[in-house]
Amino acid sequence: TVIEAVVIPENVVDIGSFAFEDCVNLSSVKVNGTIDSVNSGISNPFRNTGSNTDGGITVEFGSGVKKIADHMFDTNASFNSGNGSYAHITKVVIADSVTKIGNYAFNDCYDLKNVELGKGIESIGQASFSGCNLIETVSFPHSLKEISNSAFDGASGIKTVYYDGVKADWNSVSVSSYNNILFKTTFFYNIAYASVRVDDCFYDGTERSPEVAVFDGTDLMTDGKDYTKEFSDNIEIGKATEMMTGVRFFSNANRVI
């Protein structure tokens, strides 16, 4: 078909079988409300949509969405005649209003590379991103409480995890089995939640830069890897300022001491 974009209004709560099947030119899906139910596998409404040779599909969940339905884009290839019959989603953007990602929501979306999780996510459902092996980076919000069984099983491309909190907070998140890939990655934590110790520094008429230690719980964070620092007003008698800035994903997280 020639359909390139789909906008699902806020009052839609159910999407029928094969609703958008074979919309191979589809490149954008905007979901504005909470969908209660969709069918999975061969009867999924997004079976064989988009194209992996033409940029794929960007899916956006708007601020009216509270949860993402089970099997929302689950076009599991085992139900289909070959891997070409899945939804060719390459990017997912989830609003801060969403608290739960349903079971199998993006199961076997083999082209999915970029996932932007909202700040309100509390629960990531069973096998929700299973088989999404092109995802390289995942950024978890501080609100996260639970990652269910096999949520990232088969997502073997994940290399980096950003967590919007410190290690102690991450350790309180319930991570169920078959999510081993998350513990084989490079982890970055948010300096905004870290504790800071500044050594004494005495005036001698020259520019002074006191030693600063930044702790993620009991673990010492690394200058240049986890954060960068910059001093100002540190020559004359008075109060100097040090600006510490998180790196990469947390580059907008600052601490002023």
Side-chain angles (χ1 to χ4, degrees), residues 28 55 78 83:
S28 173
S78 66
N83 286 352

Side-chain angles (χ1 to χ4, degrees), residues 230-245:
E230 181 180 354
F231 290 95
S232 60
D233 302 322
N234 57 332
I235 298 178
E236 302 298 331
I237 293 175
K239 184 178 180 181
T241 300
E242 180 185 15
M243 171 73 79
M244 294 184 298
T245 304

